Amino acid sequence: MAATIIDGKQLAKTIKEEIRQEVERIKLQGGKTPHLGAVLIGDDPASQSYIRSKVRSCEQCGFASTLIQKPSIITEYQLLSIIKELNDDDDIDGFIVQLPLPEHIDEEKVTLAIDPKKDVDGFHPVNFGRMALGLPSYLPATPNGILEMLKRYKIETSGKHCVVVGRSNIVGKPMSILLANKSYPGNCTVTLTHSRTQDLAAETRRADIIIAAIGIPNFITADMVKEGATIIDVGINRVDDVTAKRGYRLKGDVDFENVQSKAGFITPVPGGVGPMTVASLLINTLRASKKEVYD
Ligand code: GUN
């Protein structure tokens, strides 16, 4: 039987509409308009496209947004000054600094300079630590988007074996912690796998839920998947395609065509996890403006 396709694009639309309605209510009651700041350094086309989509989504939901764009020659000191201004600006509820940054700027230093109360990306160690302890925090966008998908498709997670493929600080590592936490979605038995894992296929074949976040197109093939498993594909890989208008096509980490018939639930690329990440950022920004995480 073919898998149920998890429609991230539709789900993100639904969440954004829920947020829009809540913001409308807040404004009618004289409350604060949520305000997101976004910093973009340089002219990387992928980063520009992500930032555009984030700012557009803010507008759709009735948020205020402030986009600060600077050329890649900006010094680290200048960027840290911009961050200080955003930290001190009472109208800005939360802000993000789009990554990657130019090589001469230390990303760790930049992340640490952001006030955890305004860190709606959830990248600051304070937010990571709070997340790991199950305390209120801003959850990183991709793992939070995946939790929303599991919740809204009512996918059972308790006692299930989840195999996370990839140990990045923004996806694999937090995802493995969140799914092991005592909550729903959560209560999973989690295996975190990576490039040094021996016999990865043996691990994924035991999984009720696979989170693929490695950045290699078609890496997860049908023989690596158990019948009926839930497959979440985080990969956004650009592969050359002369027939495509832009000269490339987006491919996930999962061989969707062949895995689809074996899985229980599966996310497509594009239109799966990707759109959910922007919805997560809006959720965090709204929580920041309502002072739900820190007061
Ligand atoms: N670059 C790729 N993904 C992200 C993200 O979620 N936040 C920021 N700030 N930069 C990114």
Side-chain angles (χ1 to χ4, degrees):
M1 217 178 69
T4 299
I5 296 180
I6 300 179
D7 187 345
K9 197 171 166 188
Q10 182 53 47
L11 203 51
K13 229 184 202 169
T14 304
I15 292 171
K16 280 200 248 177
E17 179 53 23
E18 289 169 4
I19 294 174
R20 192 194 65 75
Q21 288 179 14
E22 185 171 346
V23 170
E24 200 171 75
R25 269 196 308 275
I26 291 171
K27 287 185 187 172
L28 278 172
Q29 290 163 2
K32 186 181 180 307
T33 299
H35 189 171
L36 175 74
V39 182
L40 175 63
I41 307 298
D43 47 16
D44 175 61
S47 290
Q48 282 177 331
S49 148
Y50 290 139
I51 285 279
R52 266 200 304 273
S53 153
K54 289 170 184 178
V55 169
R56 197 183 326 118
S57 297
C58 280
E59 284 164 8
Q60 288 166 352
C61 293
F63 287 20
S65 64
T66 297
L67 174 60
I68 299 171
Q69 274 182 282
K70 297 286 173 192
S72 56
I73 51 156
I74 189 174
T75 65
E76 187 178 273
Y77 181 80
Q78 286 169 322
L79 177 55
L80 292 172
S81 305
I82 291 171
I83 291 172
K84 182 165 181 346
E85 277 174 32
L86 292 168
N87 281 339
D88 294 342
D89 184 335
D90 286 339
D91 198 63
I92 299 271
D93 297 298
F95 65 96
I96 59 167
V97 178
Q98 188 66 27
L99 305 177
L101 290 169
E103 273 193 11
H104 65 278
I105 298 177
D106 182 345
E107 284 188 359
E108 197 181 315
K109 222 174 190 175
V110 167
T111 303
L112 286 171
I114 298 173
D115 181 344
K117 294 186 176 71
K118 294 194 174 189
D119 167 39
V120 285
D121 259 330
F123 290 169
H124 193 286
V126 166
N127 281 312
F128 195 99
R130 290 174 68 107
M131 179 261 322
L133 294 169
L135 296 171
S137 70
Y138 298 117
L139 300 182
T142 304
N144 195 31
I146 293 170
L147 293 183
E148 283 290 331
M149 285 175 143
L150 295 170
K151 192 159 51 180
R152 295 194 183 226
Y153 276 77
K154 299 186 168 57
I155 293 168
E156 185 56 77
T157 59
S158 183
K160 300 294 180 191
H161 187 188
C162 175
V163 173
V164 179
V165 189
R167 58 180 157 187
S168 72
N169 287 341
I170 64 173
V171 183
K173 224 181 275 175
M175 192 77 259
S176 66
I177 294 167
L178 287 163
L179 284 171
N181 271 353
K182 200 171 188 172
S183 61
Y184 176 76
N187 280 320
C188 288
T189 303
V190 178
T191 303
L192 178 57
T193 66
H194 45 77
S195 55
R196 304 292 172 92
T197 296
Q198 291 181 13
D199 201 355
L200 178 69
E203 300 296 339
T204 57
R205 272 197 286 270
R206 294 195 300 132
D208 301 304
I209 302 168
I210 296 177
I211 313 284
I214 32 216
I216 304 173
N218 292 336
F219 185 83
I220 304 288
T221 48
D223 60 304
M224 295 168 76
V225 171
K226 183 166 80 175
E227 198 79 42
T230 295
I231 315 294
I232 307 291
D233 190 348
V234 181
I236 305 178
N237 307 295
R238 290 183 176 194
V239 296
D240 292 341
D241 182 354
V242 286
T243 67
K245 208 165 45 184
R246 289 176 290 192
Y248 68 87
R249 195 155 53 85
L250 293 183
K251 266 253 147 237
D253 290 350
V254 176
D255 177 7
F256 184 88
E257 284 71 28
N258 294 308
V259 171
Q260 188 189 8
S261 55
K262 218 170 165 189
F265 290 89
I266 189 165
T267 66
V269 176
V273 174
M276 294 297 292
T277 61
V278 179
S280 297
L281 177 65
L282 297 170
I283 291 172
N284 281 347
T285 307
L286 180 58
R287 293 181 79 209
S289 99
K290 288 161 69 181
K291 307 220 180 306
E292 261 182 30
V293 179
Y294 299 91
D295 47 33

